[in-house]
Amino acid sequence: MADLLSVPHSLSQKIRELIPKSKVLVVGAGGIGCEVLKNLALSGFQEIEIIDLDTIDVSNLNRQFLFRKEHVGKSKAVVARESILSYNPDINIKAYHDSVMSQDYGVNFFKRFRLVLNALDNRAARNHVNRMCLAADVPLIESGTSGYSGQVELIKKGVTQCYECQPKPPQRSFPGCTIRNTPSEPVHCIVWAKHLFNQLFGEEDPDQDVSPDTEDPEAKVDGEHSVTDTGNIKRTSTRQWAQEINYDPQKLFDKFFKADIEYLLSMENLWKTRKPPVPLSWQQAASHSGDGEMEDESDIRTTDMKVWPLSKCAKVFASTISQLKTDLADRNFLVWDKDDKPAMDFVTACANIRAQIFSIQQKSRFEIKSIAGNIIPAIATANAMIAGLVVLHAFRVLNEEYEKCPAVYLRKKSVHSKFILAADKQVSIANPSCYVCSPKPFVNVFVNVEAMTVKEFENELLKKHLNMVAPDVVLDGKGVVVISSEEGEMQANDDKQLIELGIVDGSILKCDDFLQNYELTVAVNQYEAKEKDDPLYKVVANKDELKAKEPANGKENGVDNNQNDGNDESDDDLMLIEYDEEDPQEGSSSKKRRINPPQDNDEDDDLCVIED
Amino acid sequence: MSSPSPKSPEQSDKSKKYDRQLRLWGDHGQRLLENSKVCLINATALGTEILKSLVLPGIGSFTIVDGEKISEEDIGSNFFLENDSIGLSRAQVATQSLLELNPDVRGDYIDESPEHVMAHTQDFFNKFTVVIATALPEKRFSSDAKLVAVSVNDKSGVATLTLQRPPVNSLNLELLTDISSGLTEIEKAKCRGVILTSSAESVFSAGLDIFEVYKPNPERLNHFWKVLQDTWLKLYGFPYATVAVINGHAPAGGCLLALSCEYRIMSKNYTIGLNETQLGLVAPKWFIASMRNVIGQRQSELALTAGRLFKTDEALSLGLVDEVVDNKEEGISKAEQFLSRFRNIAPEVRGMTKQLVREDTIKDLMKTREQDLNTFVQYALNPKVQEYLEKYMQALKTKVLIPLSRHLWDAQVPLVVCRSIGFLGYIRLQVKEHTVIETHPDSENPDLRLDKPWPALKEHLDSINVATLDQKTRSHIPAIVILYYYLNKYKEFHDGNVPRTRAEKDVLRKMIRDSPIPDEHGVKVLEENFEEAIHYVNTCLNPQTIPSNVQTILDDDSCINLTQNSSPFWVMCAALRELVQSEGALPVSGSLPDMAADTNSYITLQQLYYKQAQLQAEAVFRRASQIARNLGLPQDIITESEVKLFCKHANELHLIRGCCIADEYERTSLDLTSYLEDPDSLMFYYITLRGLERFISEFNTYPGQFDDQVEPDVLKLKSIISKLLSEWNCSHALRDERVHEVCRYGGAELHSVSAILGGCAAHEVIKLITHQYKPLNNAFFYDAITSNSATFCL
Ligand SMILES: [Zn+2]
């Protein structure tokens, strides 16, 4: 009973006895994770395990208080463990510097815990842990913050909804032709610039082509197939060509910003209702005058905040290329990182040059970093509050008081300040047609069976969208194995269209993920993208939802929080905030709710006890 | 060729470290943060959690004021106090741990109580940007570490023993012990004489600490009296010459100390006397003897039986004091003069003589010590005596929160008071006046002024005839131009009115939608920029009005009647007011949303908005500078960049005028009816917390702090709360379970609750420091059982 001494007295006797013997898993040692670990340690928890793949970055130090400058580059999980032990060496705490999505952490791993606490930064891992906890039937407390906002909710099989019960707004992605041919917003240029980085220095990805897209449906003239064939440029890869010319900045510049643009101009249909782009040569850009010099080049804050003039963009383009070329020399490829100076400078310069060409507003490096890095502002205060709420929920969960754990929200503003922290009136119940937690998970997918390959189906749909890790897929009724989780077993199918395997409108696929202990029935519906902005495929749990609203526009609040071009480059504590039309003033249970209530009349509706 | 790299790597590191938060409050907010000085009173778990969330984002410096020593309970709830630090200064250990979090932040500490600090350095707290206080009681009985200061003047050989137990040098066990050991120290130093005086401004000593006698622990009471006897014996029979410099009131035990010296010098206009009978006490025999030996049997009898306190001049004529002076300094020098009388007398001879004179009085006590003790103890435990004391008590307590709150209110330093107890949390912001330029509203509609364009904009917009443009130009003009054009067309048909209702706006939308000329197939293709124009109909045509909260600011007395003390904010407001009066509208914000258009026409338009904003901002700047000059304010108080920011955000200016906590506590009526009808109202917590504060002040413990006292404490707290409610003329009663709940916590902090509250308080402090975002106004309650919170304007 000596353990009990370290458990707070104000808790009930039963909870006090449960705390020291309950083993908990903390997933993520970032902003919330650090705070959660501290709170657990100070609440008398004795058996803690922590898993995080990340290493410590300088930009973590403004809030992840278990880390110091000398820890930069080290494993978050390992350093967090050491910091907690230096406060209380008697706690049993185990650290894994690893991805929670790794095959090493199966259902049996999760079953060892009384409780799992998520302090994650991305949706894929959240979905995965959600499924693991459902499969292991372990309660999960899910949390996230974004700037001044945040939320905490309990996920318990059979009691509450799961993390995937409500469809989340899709992470914003852009059709390839918008990026390659007809950008109209700064973000399009920024995504293009990131793709260009990967083409030149990163891991090559055919989906990230930066050259003009001749297959753009809009560019097609009625009756004809396309304007020309692939043009006069030989189809060697961009990387190969860049290496051949030894990354000559002028040649690269003239190709991407002059030749390619001239080629785009030749696709006349595109420019009927659009302002055509203006090709820009290296000569023009480098000698561009009239944009004035930057005031103080040495002040990082100035260079970060101000929009670079064109001539500076050209200069930076050249200098970063030679830097990145050197960096590439002893490696196979570079990984783009918003916190890596040459990589970030390169994207800033390229995005702004392209913006200039397409008459799109240029942005400062600071702004571009936000968008390119999908940076969610983060501060210590919000993390502290949310982590406190997580551990209070944990107490109730230990006592099996699940119904006393409704979702709690932290609101950005104190305008409607009666509820800076507001709790739902009750726990949210599961969506009966949820394709994850319902007894017989089922989902409709809309794909073009004549165009989509098996590989695309697996990567885009099953893995990226439905978040499976290693699916086995069988065509129902026929027993045809479409996809196997065994490496290489069904590789021959990869490049076949779905239809070649007999998958047509109305087919049923049985998809099984052994790791997640998750079986999903997929009904296939034939669908062809018609409009330029139509997605390649759709996933709908319940057919009635088909008419549901379009994906939430990521531009609410003027902050493009949800912008993402597909690669998950999000910073920690990313939380996708959902919007709907409900009155946020009601503390009642709701499926989804606004984190930021609309701003209207000030504090007027605050209670005023005394009039002076 | 290499890319420009920043001059100092440190600076770039800093912006890297703070990258994620710069996105919330920008460089200028960060600069204010980095220049801020934060004071934390009491390094409780809540206190350190708040400071943690301020040190991490990089405040300039912090100071912890805390006189407590680290207890076992502290260790259990506070992450920043290490296991092996029990008994050490809480301020010191917390400061060291917090400094490790961020090398950019400076920190120091004072291991004294805030009331001690206030008593000694009146303006200490004025230098801070914000003061945060946790677990600070309304009133308390002071407990201080160093109660006596001993100094020896090596030249003159005179020792000074200064009583310094704020506020009134009440003689408690600790102070007496310290006096006694101070005398021992002086004795060893072989001095020529001792001056006994006080550090308090108007009190020599208020006498025995009634807290020692009031509801005493019998054991301590015994011990206390014995130490008092010892101290008196020591002082009375002290071998060296003794002088009391009575620089303030000296009732009861204070008078006894003075009478035990050989010579008394008293400042004017104070009082002195053995007034025990007034307090319902009988002065012990040795008290009486001390007086009789100075002023004689007859005068002593008269004074003692009436419990009289004498004014300084009365005391002089009675012989109770020997000299009268204007102030303490003069008193000290007179005392030194007195001591110098013995310069030519052998100290041993002097000492022995004194001893012989005083021998009988001392022997009297020595003989009856045990009996004297018993009489006293019996007497003190008499319920009647306790009743008398109860009344006297309240007046002797040190008010802590109230004077601090008043002081900071007058000094215009924001005060944040927080408490975390069990599952309950409370934050109260006290700001006399707080102004915000950037409130960061959730959504901002573009400020386009299409209903009332200024001449240059009107001229430009009028010059474009959208209907006659060729296909190519048409698709390149900015949406605003299109919107303006069709708005004018609309107005032509609607008596010059702009569309306001949804239906009216639909008419305008239709006009734009129908505008394209059909192509060869008869299909109207709507260009992207026209789509945008339709989109802007909803948000961009609202007539430009001055928001009521901004109008209130412009009509505020501080804006109209500027003084030399006016802040830059008000000077800018006054200048803005003049602009608004002449132009009928706030300055244009100057930024244009992104829109599909060719670069030239977009930039032309952008420049028009930008220039107008510049012109207006410059006008406001010139006017503000002139106003500042006329007021005699320093020239650099108004900067152009700040005026630009101010004008850009003119429609979101925000002002808070708070309420002083002292006023809140001293108020006598409170209408709670509307809240108390709702059984779930968190207003109940306000009442509970006020009851709790009063409980702590009255009993010096938290309700339920001792396991065996929970039930009695529930009763006590209930009666306190019903008294409070009746003081406020409120007829409601508080539900019993709430009182039970609070008593069950026993004053303990639950770390997770403190973490939540700490984040929340730090949040508000950042808002106060950066002058961005609206801070909460003014009290926040959090109930961790239901996870709900509420804000009240108290
Ligand atoms: Zn579900």
Side-chain angles (χ1 to χ4, degrees):
Chain A
M1 289 307 275
D3 288 347
L4 264 191
L5 286 175
S6 55
V7 185
H9 281 261
S10 0
L11 296 171
S12 76
Q13 186 63 24
K14 189 172 167 218
I15 297 178
R16 295 186 63 211
E17 282 167 19
L18 288 168
I19 285 175
K21 47 190 187 201
S22 299
K23 193 191 268 282
V24 293
L25 173 66
V26 179
V27 187
I32 297 180
C34 282
E35 298 276 350
V36 164
L37 283 170
K38 175 205 70 185
N39 294 350
L40 290 174
L42 281 155
S43 303
F45 283 87
Q46 298 288 316
E47 301 287 331
I48 304 171
E49 299 194 5
I50 167 86
I51 179 163
D52 195 315
L53 176 65
D54 272 0
T55 53
I56 296 157
D57 183 81
V58 178
S59 66
N60 300 144
L61 301 181
N62 81 325
R63 61 198 184 285
Q64 299 177 7
F65 71 100
L66 297 177
F67 312 141
R68 309 274 179 275
K69 206 173 168 188
E70 62 268 24
H71 298 136
V72 167
K74 295 186 178 164
S75 154
K76 283 187 178 179
V78 171
V79 176
R81 174 182 175 271
E82 285 163 6
S83 294
I84 293 290
L85 284 181
S86 74
Y87 164 75
N88 182 350
D90 299 332
I91 300 176
N92 284 317
I93 173 163
K94 196 168 172 187
Y96 304 87
H97 179 203
D98 206 346
S99 164
V100 74
M101 292 174 78
S102 143
Q103 313 249 359
D104 296 342
Y105 310 102
V107 173
N108 285 330
F109 174 82
F110 281 86
K111 276 189 175 153
R112 292 167 43 235
F113 300 97
R114 173 67 185 89
L115 175 63
V116 175
L117 308 174
N118 258 1
L120 278 162
D121 60 359
N122 66 83
R123 199 193 285 171
R126 283 190 164 108
N127 286 344
H128 181 78
V129 176
N130 177 45
R131 291 170 196 195
M132 299 310 292
C133 288
L134 289 170
D137 195 12
V138 176
L140 166 66
I141 297 171
E142 170 59 52
S143 59
T145 64
S146 162
Y148 280 122
S149 319
Q151 71 182 72
V152 176
E153 64 178 322
L154 167 70
I155 293 165
K156 162 74 184 158
K157 189 178 178 181
V159 180
T160 73
Q161 63 175 20
C162 83
Y163 184 70
E164 295 168 87
C165 267
Q166 303 303 331
K168 305 278 184 289
Q171 300 184 4
R172 204 174 172 207
S173 65
F174 305 100
C177 45
T178 304
I179 300 300
R180 290 165 65 183
N181 295 359
T182 54
S184 59
E185 292 174 32
V187 62
H188 301 148
C189 301
I190 294 164
V191 170
W192 179 87
K194 267 174 80 179
H195 289 179
L196 179 59
F197 177 91
N198 283 338
Q199 290 291 317
L200 292 177
F201 310 105
E203 203 173 6
E204 282 184 89
D205 179 347
D207 288 343
Q208 296 192 357
D209 204 342
V210 290
S211 52
D213 178 9
T214 54
E215 297 298 312
D216 190 334
E218 255 199 283
K220 287 177 190 169
V221 181
D222 289 334
E224 286 176 52
H225 182 68
S226 64
V227 196
T228 59
D229 54 358
T230 44
N232 358 348
I233 301 155
K234 218 172 53 189
R235 280 316 256 179
T236 54
S237 81
T238 312
R239 167 72 64 83
Q240 240 177 315
W241 175 73
Q243 281 165 346
E244 279 162 22
I245 60 163
N246 195 23
Y247 286 96
D248 179 331
Q250 300 198 19
K251 285 187 182 150
L252 289 169
F253 193 101
D254 283 338
K255 169 177 163 35
F256 297 121
F257 300 117
K258 186 162 177 287
D260 280 358
I261 303 298
E262 280 163 355
Y263 184 78
L264 276 177
L265 280 171
S266 72
M267 295 154 81
E268 283 169 13
N269 265 11
L270 294 179
W271 316 113
K272 279 193 172 163
T273 62
R274 284 193 188 89
K275 154 95 174 148
V278 182
L280 187 70
S281 71
W282 166 257
Q283 281 306 325
Q284 287 168 302
S287 61
H288 196 266
S289 58
D291 27 44
E293 273 306 296
M294 297 290 289
E295 282 158 30
D296 182 5
E297 295 267 327
S298 64
D299 185 351
I300 181 88
R301 289 189 177 169
T302 316
T303 57
D304 237 30
M305 296 297 177
K306 292 224 166 129
V307 174
W308 295 349
L310 190 58
S311 53
K312 170 160 178 161
C313 289
K315 238 189 263 177
V316 172
F317 177 82
S319 64
T320 49
I321 282 179
S322 60
Q323 172 70 48
L324 292 165
K325 186 183 81 178
T326 319
D327 293 349
L328 185 62
D330 49 352
R331 262 170 290 182
N332 284 333
F333 57 84
L334 302 178
V335 175
W336 189 81
D337 178 357
K338 61 187 177 294
D339 292 314
D340 180 40
K341 192 173 183 303
M344 189 57 234
D345 284 348
F346 175 82
V347 164
T348 306
C350 292
N352 277 338
I353 295 165
R354 191 163 168 91
Q356 163 92 16
I357 287 168
F358 284 90
S359 302
I360 294 166
Q361 197 182 16
Q362 289 152 47
K363 296 269 175 192
S364 71
R365 184 184 189 275
F366 186 80
E367 291 168 307
I368 291 176
K369 186 174 173 185
S370 269
I371 299 167
N374 199 18
I375 290 177
I376 309 294
I379 37 169
T381 55
N383 288 336
M385 279 185 259
I386 289 300
L389 292 167
V390 166
V391 175
L392 289 177
H393 262 22
F395 295 151
R396 297 177 193 115
V397 169
L398 293 187
N399 209 17
E400 294 174 49
E401 298 174 295
Y402 303 123
E403 71 293 341
K404 287 191 184 164
C405 300
V408 185
Y409 305 88
L410 166 65
R411 300 273 170 69
K412 176 177 158 197
K413 291 273 171 63
S414 58
V415 178
H416 295 281
S417 42
K418 265 164 272 176
F419 309 103
I420 292 175
L421 288 167
D424 278 345
K425 283 258 185 328
Q426 58 217 25
V427 294
S428 309
I429 53 162
N431 170 7
S433 59
C434 173
Y435 66 75
V436 176
C437 71
S438 60
K440 290 207 162 78
F442 175 85
V443 77
N444 276 291
V445 303
F446 294 77
V447 294
N448 187 347
V449 294
E450 291 163 18
M452 185 174 267
T453 64
V454 170
K455 192 78 197 161
E456 280 169 346
F457 184 80
E458 180 181 354
N459 285 344
E460 287 291 317
L461 226 144
L462 296 181
K463 287 187 176 166
K464 214 147 132 190
H465 194 108
L466 293 171
N467 230 98
M468 291 186 154
V469 176
D472 288 290
V473 179
V474 176
L475 178 54
D476 201 35
K478 300 190 177 165
V480 177
V481 178
V482 181
I483 296 167
S484 166
S485 57
E486 279 308 316
E487 195 82 28
E489 204 174 81
M490 288 290 145
Q491 215 164 17
N493 283 351
D494 278 2
D495 295 325
K496 290 182 184 159
Q497 268 91 46
L498 296 177
I499 198 162
E500 291 178 61
L501 290 161
I503 299 168
V504 293
D505 186 62
S507 291
I508 300 288
L509 298 172
K510 293 281 184 198
C511 308
D512 183 2
D513 191 299
F514 178 75
L515 176 64
Q516 294 177 339
N517 198 4
Y518 173 47
E519 268 184 60
L520 175 66
T521 305
V522 172
V524 177
N525 299 265
Q526 172 62 9
Y527 152 89
E528 280 173 59
K530 291 196 179 64
E531 295 292 317
K532 170 177 170 258
D533 290 338
D534 277 351
L536 277 175
Y537 60 87
K538 293 181 198 168
V539 176
V540 180
N542 186 335
K543 268 197 169 176
D544 302 339
E545 285 175 25
L546 259 188
K547 290 159 205 120
K549 60 184 184 294
E550 284 299 297
N553 184 348
K555 271 186 104 173
E556 300 274 4
N557 292 350
V559 181
D560 294 1
N561 274 357
N562 296 344
Q563 275 177 4
N564 196 310
D565 61 328
N567 352 340
D568 234 329
E569 206 31 90
S570 51
D571 194 56
D572 60 350
D573 308 334
L574 165 67
M575 182 190 50
L576 290 143
I577 298 163
E578 290 142 55
Y579 297 92
D580 67 4
E581 301 306 315
E582 281 186 42
D583 182 359
Q585 287 297 289
E586 294 303 315
S588 66
S589 156
S590 62
K591 288 178 282 180
K592 294 187 272 171
R593 48 193 303 160
R594 274 177 108 111
I595 297 265
N596 303 321
Q599 168 127 356
D600 44 50
N601 293 323
D602 229 331
E603 282 93 328
D604 294 351
D605 55 350
D606 275 353
L607 305 173
C608 233
V609 175
I610 291 301
E611 277 101 0
D612 286 332
Chain B
M1 209 186 325
S2 77
S3 61
S5 62
K7 241 181 226 156
S8 97
E10 192 192 320
Q11 195 180 20
S12 122
D13 241 24
K14 230 176 179 181
S15 61
K16 214 169 164 188
K17 180 163 80 182
Y18 298 134
D19 182 86
R20 302 302 182 267
Q21 69 202 38
L22 287 174
R23 287 159 205 281
L24 288 169
W25 52 70
D27 268 353
H28 52 300
Q30 185 67 26
R31 250 191 307 273
L32 287 170
L33 204 61
E34 286 172 17
N35 289 329
S36 65
K37 298 191 182 88
V38 175
C39 175
L40 170 69
I41 296 175
N42 292 337
T44 55
L46 173 56
T48 52
E49 288 296 307
I50 297 171
L51 219 42
K52 177 198 78 188
S53 292
L54 294 172
V55 167
L56 286 169
I59 50 170
S61 67
F62 67 84
T63 301
I64 297 180
V65 174
D66 189 345
E68 300 287 326
K69 302 277 176 269
I70 295 169
S71 69
E72 209 165 310
E73 244 175 66
D74 284 327
I75 302 274
S77 65
N78 195 328
F79 187 74
F80 297 95
L81 304 176
E82 272 149 28
N83 256 325
D84 52 4
S85 60
I86 291 179
L88 302 178
S89 153
R90 197 164 70 178
Q92 182 185 0
V93 175
T95 301
Q96 284 158 356
S97 311
L98 285 162
L99 279 174
E100 285 174 24
L101 294 180
N102 190 342
D104 300 335
V105 177
R106 282 163 293 122
D108 58 10
Y109 64 91
I110 293 182
D111 54 352
E112 303 278 8
S113 69
E115 53 269 36
H116 180 97
V117 173
M118 282 232 286
H120 290 268
T121 324
Q122 263 274 299
D123 293 339
F124 175 83
F125 292 103
N126 294 22
K127 65 181 181 212
F128 295 104
T129 321
V130 53
V131 175
I132 303 160
T134 69
L136 190 66
E138 189 179 342
K139 301 173 188 170
R140 76 170 143 203
F141 301 100
S142 298
S143 63
D144 240 297
K146 296 156 213 148
L147 304 175
V148 159
V150 174
S151 67
V152 179
N153 184 329
D154 289 334
K155 253 194 235 154
S156 63
V158 173
T160 309
L161 194 156
T162 308
L163 309 180
Q164 49 176 31
R165 182 174 175 239
V168 293
N169 290 326
S170 297
L171 301 168
N172 68 347
L173 178 59
E174 287 75 17
L175 177 56
L176 288 168
T177 311
D178 283 6
I179 294 174
S180 188
S181 60
L183 289 171
T184 310
E185 197 182 314
I186 291 166
E187 207 172 345
K188 283 186 197 142
K190 303 247 181 265
C191 294
R192 207 152 47 76
V194 184
I195 299 170
L196 182 65
T197 187
S198 142
S199 69
E201 248 166 63
S202 58
V203 180
F204 175 70
S205 165
L208 301 188
D209 189 338
I210 299 217
F211 189 57
E212 295 285 7
V213 189
Y214 174 60
K215 298 187 180 171
N217 168 327
E219 208 173 295
R220 182 172 164 119
L221 186 68
N222 263 294
H223 187 46
F224 165 71
W225 196 255
K226 278 186 201 155
V227 172
L228 178 66
Q229 290 173 338
D230 281 342
T231 308
W232 179 80
L233 288 169
K234 195 165 213 165
L235 181 62
Y236 203 78
F238 203 62
Y240 305 129
T242 51
V243 191
V245 173
I246 310 160
N247 56 323
H249 297 291
C255 178
L256 178 72
L257 284 183
L259 286 170
S260 310
C261 295
E262 289 160 45
Y263 199 74
R264 280 154 294 279
I265 301 165
M266 187 165 175
S267 297
K268 280 178 186 158
N269 299 324
Y270 293 113
T271 56
I272 184 167
L274 292 175
N275 57 332
E276 275 75 0
T277 51
Q278 291 274 0
L279 312 176
L281 295 167
V282 176
K285 211 175 165 190
W286 42 289
F287 279 47
I288 295 169
S290 302
M291 180 175 259
R292 191 180 51 220
N293 293 345
V294 173
I295 59 170
Q297 171 102 5
R298 162 97 183 122
Q299 291 301 336
S300 296
E301 187 175 290
L302 288 172
L304 283 160
T305 47
R308 277 203 63 186
L309 287 174
F310 300 97
K311 293 254 172 64
T312 304
D313 45 357
E314 290 176 303
L316 180 69
S317 61
L318 212 61
L320 192 57
V321 301
D322 303 294
E323 279 189 71
V324 173
V325 288
D326 283 327
N327 53 46
K328 184 174 165 182
E329 288 66 44
E330 193 190 341
I332 299 279
S333 85
K334 293 276 185 200
E336 282 167 350
Q337 274 174 32
F338 169 77
L339 292 170
S340 67
R341 289 186 201 174
F342 311 111
R343 196 178 298 145
N344 300 324
I345 297 170
E348 304 77 31
V349 176
R350 210 206 79 90
M352 280 179 69
T353 310
K354 175 177 172 180
Q355 223 142 17
L356 287 174
V357 173
R358 299 194 166 201
E359 191 175 45
D360 286 352
T361 314
I362 291 173
K363 274 188 180 155
D364 274 354
L365 176 60
M366 297 289 274
K367 270 186 281 181
T368 58
R369 270 190 88 159
E370 217 31 51
Q371 195 196 330
D372 177 64
L373 174 67
N374 290 337
T375 313
F376 166 75
V377 170
Q378 244 176 37
Y379 203 83
L381 295 176
N382 182 326
K384 264 251 167 67
V385 174
Q386 288 295 327
E387 211 175 290
Y388 269 115
L389 290 175
E390 164 104 50
K391 285 186 199 151
Y392 199 71
M393 288 291 299
Q394 298 304 327
L396 283 186
K397 245 178 266 185
T398 325
K399 290 183 173 175
V400 185
L401 178 60
I402 307 293
L404 181 70
S405 129
R406 258 217 216 292
H407 184 80
L408 293 176
W409 178 262
D410 292 336
Q412 305 227 29
V413 176
L415 169 66
V416 180
V417 173
C418 317
R419 194 178 274 286
S420 162
I421 172 166
F423 285 87
L424 199 54
Y426 161 66
I427 300 171
R428 167 74 155 89
L429 258 62
Q430 172 184 296
V431 280
K432 194 169 188 179
E433 177 187 289
H434 182 72
T435 55
V436 185
I437 296 174
E438 291 163 275
T439 49
H440 298 267
D442 281 336
S443 58
E444 270 172 291
N445 289 335
D447 178 15
L448 299 177
R449 309 290 168 105
L450 293 183
D451 56 332
K452 278 183 202 146
W454 61 92
L457 178 65
K458 186 169 173 8
E459 192 189 331
H460 173 74
L461 293 173
D462 283 340
S463 72
I464 306 167
N465 187 347
V466 174
T468 61
L469 296 175
D470 64 69
Q471 180 67 31
K472 193 168 168 235
T473 325
R474 198 183 132 82
S475 64
H476 298 166
I477 51 170
I480 289 176
V481 178
I482 301 164
L483 186 58
Y484 176 80
Y485 180 83
Y486 288 99
L487 179 67
N488 277 347
K489 285 267 173 268
Y490 176 93
K491 278 156 85 179
E492 277 174 31
F493 296 111
H494 295 84
D495 306 324
N497 292 322
V498 296
R500 280 163 203 268
T501 64
R502 195 188 167 90
E504 286 168 356
K505 285 179 176 173
D506 278 344
V507 173
L508 176 59
R509 287 195 189 96
K510 191 168 184 311
M511 287 169 70
I512 301 172
R513 192 166 288 122
D514 290 346
S515 68
I517 304 143
D519 64 11
E520 59 267 36
H521 306 292
V523 181
K524 287 185 174 182
V525 181
L526 199 61
E527 298 90 338
E528 225 172 323
N529 48 349
F530 279 68
E531 293 276 11
E532 273 181 0
I534 289 169
H535 176 75
Y536 281 129
V537 167
N538 200 29
T539 50
C540 301
L541 291 181
N542 302 326
Q544 187 58 38
T545 53
I546 297 168
S548 62
N549 54 319
V550 176
Q551 191 62 56
T552 312
I553 291 174
L554 296 182
D555 293 340
D556 193 277
D557 188 55
S558 298
C559 181
I560 295 166
N561 299 314
L562 294 172
T563 69
Q564 279 190 315
N565 298 321
S566 293
S567 66
F569 179 86
W570 288 116
V571 174
M572 291 191 288
C573 280
L576 177 67
R577 184 182 155 85
E578 291 181 20
L579 182 97
V580 169
Q581 277 168 350
S582 69
E583 306 204 358
L586 291 171
V588 64
S589 83
S591 51
L592 204 56
D594 288 349
M595 51 190 77
D598 69 292
T599 314
N600 283 343
S601 47
Y602 181 79
I603 288 178
T604 311
L605 206 54
Q606 198 185 31
Q607 285 298 316
L608 276 164
Y609 279 91
Y610 177 75
K611 281 210 179 101
Q612 177 70 0
Q614 293 294 313
L615 279 173
Q616 289 179 319
E618 276 160 25
V620 173
F621 174 61
R622 273 195 306 276
R623 192 61 204 118
S625 304
Q626 199 186 344
I627 293 170
R629 206 163 32 245
N630 294 347
L631 286 168
L633 294 168
Q635 258 322 276
D636 57 356
I637 192 171
I638 305 291
T639 65
E640 192 163 359
S641 61
E642 202 179 343
V643 172
K644 280 184 180 162
L645 188 78
F646 178 82
C647 288
K648 192 172 167 57
H649 298 279
N651 69 343
E652 47 181 277
L653 300 178
H654 184 67
L655 166 70
I656 291 181
R657 288 239 167 78
C659 154
C660 179
I661 293 172
D663 292 341
E664 181 198 323
Y665 273 69
E666 283 161 6
R667 133 197 333 150
T668 52
S669 82
L670 188 58
D671 184 12
L672 300 168
T673 324
S674 54
Y675 309 115
L676 301 189
E677 273 161 10
D678 169 11
D680 292 328
S681 167
L682 293 190
M683 185 44 101
F684 284 107
Y685 292 120
Y686 176 69
I687 302 165
T688 312
L689 274 159
R690 286 292 302 274
L692 181 82
E693 293 292 345
R694 196 172 274 193
F695 186 104
I696 299 165
S697 299
E698 271 181 31
F699 301 104
N700 243 26
T701 61
Y702 289 94
Q705 190 170 353
F706 303 103
D707 284 347
D708 56 340
Q709 290 296 309
V710 177
E711 280 314 307
D713 283 355
V714 168
L715 294 177
K716 283 186 203 162
L717 183 57
K718 268 197 221 167
S719 90
I720 285 177
I721 287 172
S722 58
K723 226 171 111 192
L724 259 174
L725 287 169
S726 76
E727 281 172 27
W728 295 331
N729 287 317
C730 180
S731 56
H732 280 266
L734 201 64
R735 287 220 303 266
D736 281 1
E737 71 249 35
R738 294 173 196 267
V739 179
H740 280 274
E741 192 66 40
V742 169
C743 291
R744 205 172 62 72
Y745 302 150
E749 279 186 60
L750 200 55
H751 183 81
S752 293
V753 173
S754 295
I756 294 167
L757 221 57
C760 194
H763 226 82
E764 297 306 319
V765 170
I766 290 172
K767 290 182 193 169
L768 291 175
I769 292 173
T770 58
H771 280 264
Q772 292 183 42
Y773 300 92
K774 295 180 187 177
L776 69 83
N777 188 17
N778 55 23
F780 170 81
F781 295 87
Y782 170 62
D783 170 11
I785 292 181
T786 62
S787 305
N788 270 320
S789 69
T791 306
F792 298 102
C793 188
L794 297 171

